[in-house]
């Protein structure tokens, strides 16, 4: 990925904060798949199903956006998490620190996106599903901490 020049005098603090978090995420993307997986996260049955579905959706988004060879480690990480979650006998997920941090950031960003959605009063079904998804994201994040 190539960096882009920005005039720092024209940025407000919120833009600067979001740019620094994006750069942190990009540095994490480059480190995924290279460390030893020594952190273990215990997952329940319903959390494993939710993470497997979440990984398929995220993988679709990443393959559409980043189809180059630089993201090969990220895509293999998504496959690893999905296969570990689909394994019925495994109760824990082994991750490196970078992978753990990346997964936590993905979940928190998705949770923030869901919380910021504003729906009309007549979208009752969508509101109910978003509320259920919000509780699932919170439970998985609580399980990871």
């Amino acid at each position: 990925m190539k960096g882009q020049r920005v005039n720092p005098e024209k940025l407000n603090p919120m833009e600067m904060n979001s740019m620094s978090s994006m750069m942190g995420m990009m540095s994490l993307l480059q480190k995924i798949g290279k460390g030893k997986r020594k952190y273990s996260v215990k997952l329940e049955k319903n959390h494993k199903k939710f993470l497997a579905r979440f990984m398929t959706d995220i993988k679709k988004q990443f393959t559409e956006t980043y189809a180059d060879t630089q993201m090969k480690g990220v895509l293999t990480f998504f496959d690893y998490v999905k296969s570990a979650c689909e394994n019925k006998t495994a109760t824990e997920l082994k991750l490196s620190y970078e992978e753990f941090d990346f997964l936590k950031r993905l979940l928190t960003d998705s949770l923030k996106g869901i919380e910021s959605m504003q729906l009309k009063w007549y979208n009752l079904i969508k509101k109910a599903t978003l509320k259920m998804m919000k509780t699932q994201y919170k439970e998985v994040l609580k399980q990871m901490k």
Side-chain angles (χ1 to χ4, degrees):
M1 297 259 153
K2 192 173 182 181
Q4 189 176 17
R5 289 185 173 232
V6 176
N7 187 0
E9 295 174 1
K10 293 186 177 183
L11 288 177
N12 61 19
M14 281 192 52
E15 289 176 340
M16 190 67 119
N17 193 11
S18 69
M19 287 183 73
S20 74
S21 69
M22 283 175 51
M23 292 306 291
M25 187 69 105
M26 290 305 292
S27 69
L28 273 178
L29 285 175
Q30 293 173 352
K31 294 178 184 176
I32 287 179
K34 296 182 179 160
K36 290 188 177 182
R37 294 184 172 142
K38 55 185 175 181
Y39 294 96
S40 64
V41 177
K42 296 189 180 204
L43 296 173
E44 296 174 9
K45 184 179 177 181
N46 56 352
H47 295 171
K48 288 187 343 182
K49 287 181 182 178
F50 175 72
L51 263 181
R53 262 188 281 125
F54 181 68
M55 284 297 127
T56 55
D57 294 339
I58 292 293
K59 187 176 178 184
K60 286 178 190 175
Q61 290 178 1
F62 267 78
T63 52
E64 290 173 1
T65 311
Y66 306 107
D68 54 349
T69 58
Q70 197 174 28
M71 295 297 157
K72 186 187 252 186
V74 177
L75 296 176
T76 56
F77 168 67
F78 291 151
D79 289 334
Y80 164 71
V81 173
K82 184 179 175 194
S83 65
C85 289
E86 289 175 347
N87 187 2
K88 293 183 180 182
T89 59
T91 58
E92 62 181 26
L93 181 66
K94 292 278 193 180
L95 302 169
S96 69
Y97 176 75
E98 289 85 14
E99 293 169 345
F100 180 69
D101 194 26
F102 177 67
L103 192 58
K104 259 195 338 191
R105 283 189 186 192
L106 276 177
L107 289 169
T108 54
D109 288 345
S110 299
L111 182 62
K112 285 179 186 175
I114 287 175
E115 288 176 344
S116 68
M117 289 180 82
Q118 298 292 326
L119 296 174
K120 301 284 184 187
W121 64 270
Y122 50 83
N123 291 338
L124 298 175
I125 296 172
K126 283 185 182 179
K127 283 185 180 182
T129 56
L130 285 179
K131 187 174 180 180
M132 188 173 57
M133 285 175 62
K134 203 183 331 182
T135 57
Q136 283 180 327
Y137 278 113
K138 286 180 182 178
E139 286 179 12
V140 170
L141 281 170
K142 192 187 300 181
Q143 189 83 19
M144 292 185 93
K145 291 182 181 179

